[in-house]
């Protein structure tokens, strides 16, 4: 199990060393560029043999006969396993009676991935105190966002005060949740940058409401003391590292700090900050981002493991977003339905392949048709059940015939629902074709197509679970790559990567923290 170790150095400053250990496996750490590259190379060497899991997508399961790429003994074993076991595979779950090669694949995948167990805040800094947000600051936040903002704001505040930063630049600020907490709760000077002009308007309006609350609180205290730090917003598209460097070169003239030149077509305004915020060359500042969208994160940290010659396509990057922690806690019914939706989409891909090949070549996306269908069916079944109960009919005597074509299912004792997958598949296909602006072809024969692949449908769950086991490893590779960039190009920086959020609330819980020494 990975563990965080505090080592004393000759200067008396504690450095944080992450050492990766697992019985029978080599130890990996990321305390230097050499160590990080060694870890990256170990992941790359392992993944080379399993590209068939992440170079394609489950939608092509039947089109490319993906089950044939996997060891037959693995699938023969897993197709009979309960769903709860499949869900735990990405978390390193194995059974003694499984094939040895399968157990090795699962355990090695897990052992090479960065641990997501939330680190104790005192291991980052002894003065970090995570303060719960009041109802005014937390307004509009869901539990996940509230947790992330509470923790990250405390970490950023601690770092800002430790390095005597004059300003915090929140890159990709969105609606300004993090920026507003840093500004009002931690009283830091904050610049919130986002490419959306609308986000800037929302951020400013929300900040004004929060300002009124804190101003009233000051007046009520009767002290008459205390100046509120109000965050400043900038609308621009951050496209290059030079853009970010320019943000550190603010010039303070008559209380006005000018923005760097922005892209044409984006709104530009003056950034009004007190002269004492940035009053000297080389003033310290903190650059922060919470789940920065689009290319912002990779703009801030360029990729650095090009020397391995290993590339990740879109399917691999999508797979890297899977959360082992969340999936293992899901209810069985939900997971079974999820596997069924994967089957619907994969057979629908065959519909496109055979009857609409010109559309298939454009990599069509049909959105969440299956989830919407499931919601509709649940509402219909619930409504029909209520009508039956109202008529005094017993579930045990229920026999739905073809006249009830809108409810092609059976209701069993105890409320258990058994969906007619063929009926749902036909509705799924019609919905998908409509979404793509296509007219159904009468001779498609959806029933025959479904029957053609029905025997392999129960392999989708095992295949998905094995594929998902690689997800945390792919994300580890991306994160180590970003860490390596800082280690290779910023020799004068102390750099660590730590899981600061609860992984059940926030699966993307790793923070890269770099401090210029």
């Amino acid at each position: 199990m990975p563990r965080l170790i505090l080592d004393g150095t000759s200067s008396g400053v504690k450095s944080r060393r992450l050492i990766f250990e697992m019985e029978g496996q080599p130890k990996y750490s990321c305390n230097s560029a050499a160590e990080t590259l060694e870890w990256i190379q170990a992941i790359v060497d392992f993944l080379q043999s399993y590209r068939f899991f992440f170079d394609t997508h489950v939608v092509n399961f039947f089109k490319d006969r993906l089950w044939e790429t996997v060891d037959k003994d693995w699938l023969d074993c897993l197709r009979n396993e309960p769903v709860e076991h499949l869900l735990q595979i990405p978390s390193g779950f194995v059974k003694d009676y499984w094939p040895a090669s399968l157990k090795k694949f699962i355990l090695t995948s897990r052992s090479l991935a960065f641990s997501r167990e939330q680190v104790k805040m005192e291991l980052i800094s002894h003065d970090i105190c995570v303060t719960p947000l009041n109802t005014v600051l937390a307004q509009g936040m869901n539990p996940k966002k509230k947790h992330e903002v509470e923790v990250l704001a405390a970490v950023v505040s601690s770092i800002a005060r430790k390095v005597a930063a004059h300003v915090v630049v929140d890159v990709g600020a969105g609606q300004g949740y993090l920026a507003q907490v840093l500004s009002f709760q931690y009283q830091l000077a904050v610049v919130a940058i986002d490419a959306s002009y609308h986000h800037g308007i929302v951020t400013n309006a929300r900040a004004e409401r929060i300002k009124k609350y804190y101003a009233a609180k000051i007046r009520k205290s009767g002290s008459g003391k205390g100046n509120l730090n109000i965050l400043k917003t900038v609308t621009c598209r951050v496209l290059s590292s030079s853009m970010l460097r320019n943000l550190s070169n603010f010039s303070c003239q008559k209380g006005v700090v000018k923005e760097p030149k922005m892209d044409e077509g984006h709104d530009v305004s003056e950034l009004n900050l007190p002269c004492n915020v940035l009053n000297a060359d080389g003033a310290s500042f903190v650059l922060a981002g919470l789940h920065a969208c689009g290319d912002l994160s990779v703009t801030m940290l360029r990729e650095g493991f090009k020397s391995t010659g290993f590339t990740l396509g879109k399917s691999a990057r999508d797979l890297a977003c899977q959360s082992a922690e969340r999936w293992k806690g899901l209810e069985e019914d939900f997971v079974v339905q999820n596997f069924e939706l994967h089957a619907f989409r994969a057979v629908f891909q065959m519909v496109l392949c055979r009857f609409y090949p010109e559309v298939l070549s454009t990599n069509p996306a049909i959105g969440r048709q299956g989830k919407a269908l499931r919601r509709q069916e649940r509402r219909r079944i619930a409504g029909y059940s209520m009508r039956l109960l109202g008529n005094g009919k017993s579930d045990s005597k229920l026999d739905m015939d073809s006249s009830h074509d809108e409810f092609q299912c059976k209701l069993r004792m105890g409320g258990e629902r058994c969906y007619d997958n063929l009926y749902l598949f036909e509705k799924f296909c019609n919905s998908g074709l409509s979404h793509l602006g296509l007219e159904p072809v009468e001779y498609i024969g959806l029933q025959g197509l479904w029957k053609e692949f029905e025997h392999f449908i129960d392999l989708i769950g095992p295949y998905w679970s094995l594929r998902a086991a690689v997800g945390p490893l792919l994300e580890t590779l991306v994160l180590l790559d970003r860490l390596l960039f800082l280690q290779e190009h910023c020799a004068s920086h102390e750099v660590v990567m730590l899981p600061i959020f609860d992984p059940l609330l926030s699966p993307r819980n790793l923070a890269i923290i770099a401090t210029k020494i």
Side-chain angles (χ1 to χ4, degrees), residues 7 19 28 33-34 37 48 102 105 159 173 197 218 226 235 258-259 269 273 284 295 302 322 334 353 366 417 447 511:
D7 289 340
I19 298 181
Y28 294 103
L37 188 57
Q48 293 285 14
L102 172 59
F105 163 76
I159 294 172
Y197 179 65
I218 292 174
T235 299
K258 301 285 186 179
E259 292 183 19
S269 61
L273 292 175
S284 297
D295 292 331
R302 292 294 183 186
Q322 292 289 349
F334 176 87
C353 179
I366 62 172
R417 297 186 295 272
Q447 182 174 354

Side-chain angles (χ1 to χ4, degrees), residues 59-118:
V59 297
N60 295 313
F61 188 75
F62 299 116
K63 174 179 172 292
D64 296 336
R65 302 180 68 86
L66 295 181
W67 64 90
E68 295 179 352
T69 65
V70 184
D71 190 311
K72 185 176 182 298
D73 291 340
W74 294 11
L75 294 181
D76 287 344
C77 169
L78 295 180
R79 75 189 308 172
N80 298 315
E81 288 293 313
V83 171
E84 61 180 293
H85 289 177
L86 299 181
L87 282 180
Q88 296 180 71
I89 285 177
S91 299
F93 175 87
V94 297
K95 299 292 288 184
D96 290 340
Y97 56 83
W98 290 2
S101 58
L102 172 59
K103 291 188 290 186
K104 182 179 180 181
F105 163 76
I106 295 171
L107 293 176
T108 303
S109 295
R110 188 62 176 174
S111 72
L112 287 172
F114 205 102
S115 172
R116 292 314 181 97
E117 183 179 352
Q118 185 180 16

Side-chain angles (χ1 to χ4, degrees), residues 5-220:
I5 302 176
L6 290 180
D7 289 340
T9 64
S10 58
S11 63
V13 179
K14 289 184 176 180
S15 62
R16 300 158 187 81
R17 300 190 62 217
L18 184 72
I19 298 181
F20 184 88
E21 295 180 328
M22 190 154 184
E23 186 176 357
Q25 296 289 340
K27 298 178 181 179
Y28 294 103
S29 59
C30 52
N31 309 299
S32 66
E35 291 178 349
T36 302
L37 188 57
E38 181 183 8
W39 193 343
I40 288 174
Q41 191 61 58
I43 294 174
V44 169
D45 290 344
F46 174 76
L47 289 177
Q48 293 285 14
S49 300
Y50 300 101
R51 294 203 70 111
F52 54 82
F53 276 134
F54 57 87
D55 275 349
T56 187
H57 198 279
V58 181
V59 297
N60 295 313
F61 188 75
F62 299 116
K63 174 179 172 292
D64 296 336
R65 302 180 68 86
L66 295 181
W67 64 90
E68 295 179 352
T69 65
V70 184
D71 190 311
K72 185 176 182 298
D73 291 340
W74 294 11
L75 294 181
D76 287 344
C77 169
L78 295 180
R79 75 189 308 172
N80 298 315
E81 288 293 313
V83 171
E84 61 180 293
H85 289 177
L86 299 181
L87 282 180
Q88 296 180 71
I89 285 177
S91 299
F93 175 87
V94 297
K95 299 292 288 184
D96 290 340
Y97 56 83
W98 290 2
S101 58
L102 172 59
K103 291 188 290 186
K104 182 179 180 181
F105 163 76
I106 295 171
L107 293 176
T108 303
S109 295
R110 188 62 176 174
S111 72
L112 287 172
F114 205 102
S115 172
R116 292 314 181 97
E117 183 179 352
Q118 185 180 16
V119 71
K120 294 180 179 179
M121 290 296 104
E122 56 265 30
L123 294 181
I124 303 175
S125 178
H126 70 279
D127 64 345
I128 294 180
C129 179
V130 179
T131 306
L133 302 183
N134 59 44
T135 55
V136 175
L137 282 173
Q139 185 178 7
M141 298 185 196
N142 59 28
K144 172 180 178 290
K145 180 65 70 175
K146 182 175 180 289
H147 168 69
E148 292 171 344
V149 171
E150 284 177 345
V151 174
L152 186 57
V155 172
V156 171
S157 174
S158 173
I159 294 172
R161 300 189 191 286
K162 185 174 298 183
V163 301
H166 295 283
V167 67
V168 176
V169 180
D170 183 4
V171 182
Q175 298 185 33
Y177 293 133
L178 174 63
Q180 288 155 359
V181 172
L182 290 171
S183 178
F184 290 105
Q185 181 163 300
Y186 291 97
Q187 282 297 289
L188 295 169
V190 181
V191 179
I193 300 177
D194 197 89
S196 170
Y197 179 65
H198 173 71
H199 282 168
I201 294 175
V202 172
T203 298
N204 288 332
R206 192 171 185 274
E208 282 299 317
R209 293 195 297 271
I210 298 173
K211 176 184 175 182
K212 291 178 181 178
Y213 166 80
Y214 279 95
K217 192 175 181 180
I218 292 174
R219 288 195 302 271
K220 188 175 181 180

